[in-house]
Amino acid sequence: MASLLRFADKDYFLSGNFFKDLEFHHPILVDPLWQGTKLETQFQQFPLPVLESPNHRSFGLVTSGSTGVPKIVWKEWDEIQSELEVWAIEGEIQRFLHGTKEIQVQVPFCHLYGLLWGFLLPKQLGIPIVFGDGFTASQTTLCITSAPQLQLALSQGNQLPKRVIVSGMKFPVPLARELREKTEISIIEIYGSTETGGMGYRDPLRQNRFQFLPNLEFQFQTVEENEELLVKSPFVSKQYYSLQASEWVLSILPPNSYYATGDLGEYSDLGFYLLGRKDRIIKHKGKRVSLDRIESEILGLGLEGQFYCVPVHHETGDTIGLFTDSLLPIDTIYQTLRSELPSSHVPRVIVKQNEIPKLPNGKTDYSKISSFCYEEFLRLQTLKDKGKNIQNINSETTIPEILESILGSVPKPDQHFIYDCGMDSILFSELILKLEKKIGHQIPEEDKQTGYLFSLSGLEEYVREKLYLLE
């Protein structure tokens, strides 16, 4: 049977063409957003892989993650059927679905989560599906959506659904807290991936651990200071193709072996606590932190704009870069992050641009964002090195002299906020140290959160007051 490339919009599924293709071909389902991009060209340039499978009812799901390199994950129809049956008889899911008369779908069917929960499960249960951007606040409507869409509706004051199923990212704790305090919404979060299928679920408003599905076998392998989850279940894909050096390279999961998920966490009798992705964990300020978790925490703060965290690798150690299209001033962003997040979660570099870099498939281009943040880090390091020409700081040293020692130049009169002068988080700690040297005493942590230290006039007033009180 031949492989067929299908740009799988919802009409492809609703028309019945998906099931027709399953009978006679191996359809490879691609996000319609890829049409007309260089990712589509990659499929045209290189012959499609031919699946050797004893089961003719199989198909491929194309993913690219944040790398932009296509990966075709093959799913056997038996794997899909097995997962549907498990979800349909899982007690907590049955109770959650009870009384549902329609399912509102806000996720694409070309991804496994949307295919299972937005199309195949409703079809199996005989529940009609509807589409739409706005939420329906009916007790009999179940919404299949994502955390960012809930955050957007909440921040804009729009109507929220009563019952929701989400997946795709770990649900942000601040968003869960706000929804729990302000609404009567009920949420089930599905944990899984294209390769693994569903692995578990939780109520993110009340639980911080996932409950594994009963037929999931798991174990852990140590990765530095953390434990990586390995799984085995009837839903795990047995093979996938990745585009390497201009050809599709097949990877096969050996029989009866465990699949390395790339997820780090820890397990107890209460369930599985997900720390984050293995490649998204860095050591910052002496602590191992998850960039995925920091992103979700910032999302939950309700700040205007989009925010993306990336690692900034340097010979001096890893640090956190934050990229945003927010219209908020950088000093406002920093002040909020400093007051709401642990110090080890506060980015040291923030880059603002009008648009978020995107891959041809519409996903965020983390590689380009990392490059921008690294360039900003080097710029700030250069400013810091230039400022080391003033070594002797005492009570007579002026605020402009201190800022010049850090920034490498005297701030202009119209640059009222210190971040307008080129100050950034990586230099802010140096500013604190030099202010402490000037006044001869440590600055309390609560003072560092005030607005005084974010403007030229505020710095002058703060130091003047401190020196007066200490006389």
Side-chain angles (χ1 to χ4, degrees), residues 99-115:
T100 300
K101 294 185 177 179
E102 69 174 9
I103 293 179
Q104 183 182 15
V105 182
Q106 294 189 335
V107 293
F109 294 157
C110 55
H111 302 300
L112 185 60
Y113 164 56
L115 177 62

Side-chain angles (χ1 to χ4, degrees), residues 330-331 334 338 348 350 376 379-380 383 402-404 406-407 411 415 417-432 453-454 456 459:
I330 286 183
D331 63 296
Y334 266 126
R338 286 177 180 277
R348 298 188 69 190
I350 292 183
E376 177 66 1
R379 184 187 74 82
L380 295 171
L383 288 175
I402 290 177
L403 289 173
E404 182 182 8
I406 297 172
L407 300 170
Q415 294 176 322
F417 291 104
I418 59 174
Y419 291 104
D420 293 334
C421 312
M423 179 70 71
D424 223 314
S425 182
I426 197 172
L427 303 178
F428 188 78
S429 57
E430 184 181 356
L431 171 64
I432 295 297
L453 303 187
F454 292 96
L456 299 179
L459 285 168

Side-chain angles (χ1 to χ4, degrees), residues 305-346:
Q306 303 173 78
F307 295 85
Y308 298 92
C309 285
V310 294
V312 178
H313 303 296
H314 193 256
E315 58 188 16
T316 58
D318 293 345
T319 190
I320 301 170
L322 182 67
F323 191 95
T324 180
D325 62 354
S326 176
L327 298 178
L328 295 171
I330 286 183
D331 63 296
T332 299
I333 296 172
Y334 266 126
Q335 202 165 1
T336 303
L337 299 184
R338 286 177 180 277
S339 63
E340 297 291 338
L341 302 183
S343 61
S344 60
H345 290 194
V346 177

Side-chain angles (χ1 to χ4, degrees), residues 173-423:
V173 173
L175 176 58
R177 182 171 60 246
E178 188 174 5
L179 288 171
R180 185 173 61 245
E181 293 172 351
K182 296 182 179 180
T183 73
E184 296 180 356
I185 194 171
S186 297
I187 302 177
I188 290 288
E189 178 183 5
I190 306 300
Y191 172 47
S193 68
T194 304
E195 293 85 352
T196 64
M199 293 187 284
Y201 62 92
R202 67 169 181 164
D203 173 358
L205 305 191
R206 296 165 183 85
Q207 299 172 315
N208 64 3
R209 292 175 179 267
F210 290 96
Q211 307 305 306
F212 284 143
L213 292 175
N215 59 347
L216 184 81
E217 297 179 54
F218 62 92
Q219 61 186 33
F220 292 90
Q221 66 179 6
T222 302
V223 179
E224 295 182 355
E225 301 172 20
N226 296 287
E227 298 292 312
E228 179 182 5
L229 175 66
L230 310 180
V231 299
K232 180 167 60 174
S233 86
F235 322 144
V236 175
S237 295
K238 305 304 184 292
Q239 52 187 320
Y240 66 86
Y241 286 88
S242 55
L243 190 59
Q244 300 176 20
S246 304
E247 65 175 343
W248 294 101
V249 178
L250 175 64
S251 297
I252 297 178
L253 186 68
N256 204 37
S257 61
Y258 286 81
Y259 176 80
T261 63
D263 290 341
L264 302 182
E266 56 96 3
Y267 183 80
S268 75
D269 292 340
L270 298 176
F272 174 66
Y273 178 78
L274 174 62
L275 177 60
R277 295 289 298 168
K278 180 170 64 175
D279 56 357
R280 298 270 292 159
I281 303 279
I282 67 169
K283 196 165 189 176
H284 186 232
K285 294 187 177 181
K287 296 184 178 180
R288 298 192 69 80
V289 298
S290 165
L291 299 178
D292 292 330
R293 178 178 176 181
I294 295 172
E295 269 189 13
S296 70
E297 289 174 343
I298 295 174
L299 172 66
L301 297 176
L303 294 172
E304 180 272 329
Q306 303 173 78
F307 295 85
Y308 298 92
C309 285
V310 294
V312 178
H313 303 296
H314 193 256
E315 58 188 16
T316 58
D318 293 345
T319 190
I320 301 170
L322 182 67
F323 191 95
T324 180
D325 62 354
S326 176
L327 298 178
L328 295 171
I330 286 183
D331 63 296
T332 299
I333 296 172
Y334 266 126
Q335 202 165 1
T336 303
L337 299 184
R338 286 177 180 277
S339 63
E340 297 291 338
L341 302 183
S343 61
S344 60
H345 290 194
V346 177
R348 298 188 69 190
V349 176
I350 292 183
V351 175
K352 281 180 53 176
Q353 290 192 6
N354 293 332
E355 294 183 353
I356 301 296
K358 298 290 185 181
L359 294 165
N361 63 351
K363 292 187 177 181
T364 303
D365 190 342
Y366 277 94
S367 177
K368 186 170 289 186
I369 286 176
S370 296
S371 177
F372 287 144
C373 288
Y374 181 69
E375 290 172 5
E376 177 66 1
F377 175 86
L378 294 180
R379 184 187 74 82
L380 295 171
Q381 284 289 94
T382 301
L383 288 175
K384 183 177 180 180
D385 293 340
K386 285 181 179 178
K388 290 180 179 177
N389 59 333
I390 298 179
Q391 300 294 334
N392 299 319
I393 293 177
N394 54 44
S395 61
E396 302 300 320
T397 310
T398 66
I399 296 300
E401 286 175 336
I402 290 177
L403 289 173
E404 182 182 8
S405 77
I406 297 172
L407 300 170
S409 62
V410 178
K412 297 178 182 178
D414 61 339
Q415 294 176 322
H416 178 67
F417 291 104
I418 59 174
Y419 291 104
D420 293 334
C421 312
M423 179 70 71

Side-chain angles (χ1 to χ4, degrees), residues 40-218:
E40 179 184 6
T41 305
Q42 290 175 326
F43 282 100
Q44 295 171 342
Q45 286 179 329
F46 314 113
L48 293 175
V50 178
L51 179 65
E52 300 296 335
S53 170
N55 181 3
H56 74 279
R57 302 194 79 193
S58 58
F59 61 97
L61 289 169
V62 177
T63 69
S64 68
S66 59
T67 64
V69 179
K71 177 180 179 181
I72 303 174
V73 180
W74 283 107
K75 307 297 291 188
E76 302 285 350
W77 187 247
D78 289 345
E79 297 166 3
I80 299 297
Q81 283 290 94
S82 297
E83 182 169 353
L84 289 173
E85 291 170 5
V86 168
W87 285 121
I89 64 174
E90 184 68 15
E92 189 64 31
I93 301 301
Q94 282 186 328
R95 286 187 288 273
F96 196 78
L97 293 175
H98 180 72
T100 300
K101 294 185 177 179
E102 69 174 9
I103 293 179
Q104 183 182 15
V105 182
Q106 294 189 335
V107 293
F109 294 157
C110 55
H111 302 300
L112 185 60
Y113 164 56
L115 177 62
L116 288 171
W117 290 92
F119 180 62
L120 295 177
L121 191 59
K123 184 179 180 66
Q124 179 171 306
L125 299 176
I127 302 175
I129 59 176
V130 295
F131 304 93
D133 294 329
F135 290 114
T136 301
S138 168
Q139 288 286 3
T140 60
T141 298
L142 174 67
C143 186
I144 310 297
T145 186
S146 65
Q149 287 172 305
L150 288 175
Q151 175 68 71
L152 181 63
L154 183 65
S155 63
Q156 294 180 345
N158 295 337
Q159 180 175 258
L160 290 171
K162 298 295 185 183
R163 291 186 296 159
V164 174
I165 289 180
V166 298
S167 190
M169 64 178 291
K170 188 176 180 182
F171 203 87
V173 173
L175 176 58
R177 182 171 60 246
E178 188 174 5
L179 288 171
R180 185 173 61 245
E181 293 172 351
K182 296 182 179 180
T183 73
E184 296 180 356
I185 194 171
S186 297
I187 302 177
I188 290 288
E189 178 183 5
I190 306 300
Y191 172 47
S193 68
T194 304
E195 293 85 352
T196 64
M199 293 187 284
Y201 62 92
R202 67 169 181 164
D203 173 358
L205 305 191
R206 296 165 183 85
Q207 299 172 315
N208 64 3
R209 292 175 179 267
F210 290 96
Q211 307 305 306
F212 284 143
L213 292 175
N215 59 347
L216 184 81
E217 297 179 54
F218 62 92

